[in-house]
C-alpha cells in the first residue's frame, strides 16, 4: 500500500470519527460506537481540527455541540464517506457479490406493503449485506431529514403533500383513512360522515411528525375546519384503546385497524389518504447494496403510474 493510500485511509477514519461524535453528541458514546478508547477518538478529532484549521465542536462538561464549521463539514463528510462506500461496493461486486450495510428508515406501523417479505428475500439473496432498520420516533418528518443528511440510505415515509427538495419520492401504496369511533356512538350508525360534522370534536392522534397525523391535519386546514387533538400517543394499539374508551375519535388506515373490537370504522368525506412512499436522496448515489434493495422494493411494490 502506498503512503498516499495510507494517508487517504487515515483521512476517511478521521471523518468517520467526526460523524460519530456529531451524531452521538458525545465522545463517550461515539467511542463505544467506533470501538475505540475515548482518548484515541479525541486525538483523531484534534488532528482533523488542526488539518482544517478550526474547531469542529464546542465541548463542555455535559454536552458536545457542533460549531458552524462543524455543521458545514458534516454534510460534506457524509457525502465523502458515502462515495468511499460506493467505490468499495463497486470493487466488491466485481470480485464476488454485494456486501456492506443498508440503513433503512421504517415507520412504526406499516401493513400496506409486506416489508418483512422483501427484507427476507433480500437477505437470502445477499447474505453478506447487513440491513440496519431504524424506526424514527419523530415519524416520517424525522426520517425525511435523516435521508437528506445521509443518516439513512432510504426510508419508507408517508408525508401527505410535497416532500422537501433533495429527495426522490416513489409512491408504493395508498389507502383512504376511516374514522374510528366507539361502536355505541351515533356516528357508528351512519355510513358516511361529512368532515364538517367533526369540527371541534376531540381526537386521539399520533405525534405531529407522523404521516397519518399530517394527512388529517392538512385535510382539516384545507377545509377551513378546526381540529382538536385531545390526546397524543405514539402507537396505534393505544390509539384504538383510547377511542374505545371514549377519549375521542381517530382517523386510521383500515389495514391497521382490522379486527378491532368495539370500534366502528366509518367513511368521511372528503377523506384523508395515507400514502406510503420509498424515499432516497436525489443528489447522492446509493451504494450497490442500497440500490439492490431499492430495485427489489420497486419491483415488488411500486405503485402504477396513472399517466403511463
Amino acid at each position: 500500500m502506498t503512503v498516499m493510500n495510507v494517508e487517504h485511509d487515515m483521512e476517511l477514519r478521521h471523518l468517520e470519527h467526526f460523524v460519530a461524535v456529531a451524531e452521538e453528541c458525545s465522545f463517550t458514546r461515539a467511542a463505544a460506537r467506533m470501538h475505540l478508547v475515548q482518548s484515541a477518538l479525541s486525538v483523531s478529532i484534534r488532528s482533523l481540527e488542526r488539518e482544517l484549521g478550526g474547531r469542529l465542536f464546542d465541548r463542555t462538561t455535559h454536552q458536545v455541540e457542533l460549531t458552524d464549521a462543524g455543521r458545514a463539514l458534516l454534510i460534506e463528510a457524509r457525502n465523502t464517506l458515502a462515495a468511499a462506500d460506493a467505490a468499495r461496493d463497486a470493487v466488491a461486486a466485481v470480485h464476488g457479490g454485494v456486501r456492506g450495510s443498508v440503513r433503512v428508515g421504517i415507520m412504526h406501523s406499516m401493513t400496506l406493503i409486506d416489508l418483512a417479505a422483501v427484507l427476507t428475500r433480500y437477505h437470502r439473496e445477499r447474505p453478506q449485506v447487513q440491513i440496519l432498520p431504524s424506526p424514527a420516533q419523530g415519524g416520517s418528518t424525522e426520517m425525511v431529514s435523516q435521508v437528506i443528511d445521509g443518516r439513512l440510505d432510504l426510508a419508507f415515509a408517508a408525508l401527505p403533500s410535497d416532500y422537501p427538495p433533495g429527495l426522490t419520492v416513489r409512491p408504493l401504496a395508498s389507502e383512504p383513512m376511516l374514522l374510528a369511533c366507539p361502536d355505541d356512538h351515533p356516528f357508528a350508525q351512519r355510513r358516511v360522515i361529512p368532515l364538517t360534522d367533526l369540527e371541534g370534536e376531540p381526537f386521539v392522534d399520533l405525534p405531529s411528525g407522523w404521516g397519518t397525523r399530517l394527512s388529517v391535519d392538512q385535510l382539516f386546514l384545507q377545509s377551513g375546519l378546526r381540529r382538536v387533538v385531545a390526546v397524543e400517543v405514539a402507537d396505534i394499539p393505544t390509539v384504538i384503546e383510547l377511542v374505545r374508551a371514549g377519549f375521542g375519535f381517530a382517523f386510521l388506515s383500515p389495514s391497521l385497524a382490522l379486527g378491532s373490537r368495539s370500534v366502528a370504522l366509518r367513511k368521511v368525506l372528503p377523506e384523508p389518504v395515507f400514502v406510503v412512499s420509498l424515499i432516497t436522496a436525489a443528489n447522492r448515489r446509493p451504494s450497490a447494496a442500497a440500490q439492490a434493495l431499492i430495485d427489489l422494493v420497486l419491483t415488488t411494490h411500486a405503485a402504477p403510474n396513472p399517466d403511463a
Side-chain angles (χ1 to χ4, degrees):
M1 180 180 289
T2 66
V3 173
M4 182 180 295
N5 286 338
V6 171
E7 290 175 348
H8 182 62
D9 190 45
M10 287 296 292
E11 291 170 2
L12 288 179
R13 287 206 295 273
H14 290 332
L15 292 179
E16 289 173 346
H17 298 163
F18 163 72
V19 170
V21 176
E23 291 180 349
E24 299 293 340
C25 298
S26 164
F27 277 80
T28 302
R29 291 193 297 270
R33 167 173 152 181
M34 301 302 297
H35 306 291
L36 293 171
V37 295
Q38 188 169 332
S39 59
L41 181 62
S42 296
V43 168
S44 177
I45 297 299
R46 283 198 297 270
S47 175
L48 184 60
E49 289 177 326
R50 282 196 303 271
E51 182 177 347
L52 296 176
R55 286 186 304 108
L56 300 174
F57 296 101
D58 285 326
R59 306 164 176 84
T60 67
T61 305
H62 301 292
Q63 63 185 23
V64 175
E65 294 183 350
L66 285 166
T67 62
D68 290 342
R71 281 188 286 272
L73 176 62
L74 183 58
I75 297 172
E76 298 302 326
R78 285 175 172 149
N79 289 339
T80 298
L81 293 174
D85 287 342
R88 295 189 191 101
D89 288 342
V91 174
V94 172
H95 292 286
V98 176
R99 62 187 68 220
S101 62
V102 184
R103 299 159 298 173
V104 184
I106 301 173
M107 291 183 289
H108 286 258
S109 299
M110 187 169 64
T111 57
L112 271 181
I113 66 173
D114 192 350
L115 183 59
V118 172
L119 296 182
T120 298
R121 177 179 169 185
Y122 182 88
H123 179 67
R124 185 173 63 248
E125 295 175 352
R126 297 171 179 83
Q128 293 177 309
V129 177
Q130 182 182 18
I131 300 173
L132 303 174
S134 176
Q137 296 299 321
S140 291
T141 301
E142 181 179 331
M143 288 192 292
V144 164
S145 297
Q146 291 178 351
V147 169
I148 291 174
D149 67 22
R151 282 177 285 172
L152 292 175
D153 296 303
L154 57 103
F156 298 89
L159 294 186
S161 56
D162 293 340
Y163 282 76
L167 292 173
T168 298
V169 182
R170 303 172 178 92
L172 301 177
S174 65
E175 65 179 346
M177 287 187 283
L178 301 178
L179 182 75
C181 62
D183 60 6
D184 58 355
H185 191 278
F187 282 167
Q189 311 306 315
R190 299 161 62 178
R191 290 180 57 253
V192 179
I193 301 165
L195 186 68
T196 52
D197 287 4
L198 300 175
E199 182 172 24
E201 294 285 353
F203 275 83
V204 180
D205 214 329
L206 301 164
S208 58
W210 291 40
T212 52
R213 168 72 178 270
L214 291 168
S215 295
V216 176
D217 284 348
Q218 184 182 83
L219 180 63
F220 271 76
L221 182 63
Q222 291 174 342
S223 301
L225 301 175
R226 182 173 62 93
R227 189 163 93 100
V228 177
V229 177
V231 184
E232 268 191 13
V233 293
D235 65 276
I236 299 297
T238 304
V239 169
I240 294 172
E241 288 299 319
L242 291 175
V243 169
R244 179 184 297 123
F247 282 85
F249 304 116
F251 277 100
L252 298 173
S253 298
S255 60
L256 297 177
L258 288 176
S260 300
R261 296 173 299 169
S262 302
V263 171
L265 298 177
R266 294 295 179 263
K267 184 174 183 177
V268 172
L269 290 178
E271 58 190 6
V273 179
F274 180 62
V275 182
V276 177
S277 296
L278 174 66
I279 60 171
T280 55
N283 57 355
R284 190 171 59 247
R285 181 179 178 180
S287 67
Q291 187 62 59
L293 180 54
I294 292 167
D295 292 342
L296 180 59
V297 171
L298 295 179
T299 299
T300 309
H301 288 292
N305 184 351
D307 300 324

